[in-house]
Amino acid sequence: MAAAEPARPRRASSRPADEGAEQDTNAPSRATPRRRSKRPGAAVAMRAAAEQLAQLLGRWPESVSALKPTEDGWVAQVEVVEVERVPDTTSVLASYRVALDEDGELISYERTRRYSRGMIDRPT
């Protein structure tokens, strides 16, 4: 029994790409993005909420503690240090509800809660 020959690589065609079969202009493009929605992704929405709220308040947010999509865009819960104190556990933070439209632009915000950093949420 003879040994099998190794597979040979295929040679590329020497004719130009525009020769030969006609291309279907109705075929879907391979570069078509997966997402067709104008809505930004979660990471982009999170950064947009933090940055735009910082511009309005003049303080950089500590964190984004919640983010959820809505029919009109996104709603984020953003935590901001309002009063810095020593020790740090006595600093006063505020929680803001931030609404973004489907383009990621801030359309409203409101402070929903103030608390000291050392305060622990207790189950209700």
Side-chain angles (χ1 to χ4, degrees):
M1 190 161 152
E5 279 188 36
R8 294 184 191 170
R10 294 177 112 190
R11 289 185 4 181
S13 173
S14 61
R15 67 181 169 168
D18 59 336
E19 284 185 17
E22 291 181 26
Q23 293 182 357
D24 183 4
T25 57
N26 295 329
S29 169
R30 289 184 182 181
T32 303
R34 288 184 194 172
R35 293 181 47 193
R36 295 181 185 176
S37 170
K38 285 175 58 176
R39 180 187 305 195
V44 172
M46 222 163 87
R47 280 191 299 274
E51 290 171 2
Q52 293 176 62
L53 187 62
Q55 290 174 353
L56 293 170
L57 298 178
R59 295 181 189 95
W60 191 253
E62 186 82 3
S63 66
V64 176
S65 58
L67 179 71
K68 68 178 183 178
T70 65
E71 289 181 8
D72 302 326
W74 295 91
V75 172
Q77 202 71 28
V78 183
E79 311 304 316
V80 177
V81 176
E82 291 201 332
V83 179
E84 289 191 55
R85 292 187 178 154
V86 176
D88 193 45
T89 55
T90 62
S91 294
V92 177
L93 283 83
S95 187
Y96 287 86
R97 180 181 301 122
V98 178
L100 304 172
D101 66 12
E102 61 186 21
D103 297 324
E105 295 297 318
L106 189 142
I107 54 175
S108 70
Y109 75 97
E110 73 175 304
R111 184 171 63 196
T112 57
R113 176 176 170 230
R114 286 184 88 190
Y115 58 98
S116 65
R117 185 186 297 272
M119 192 169 100
I120 298 173
D121 285 340
R122 300 183 194 241
T124 55

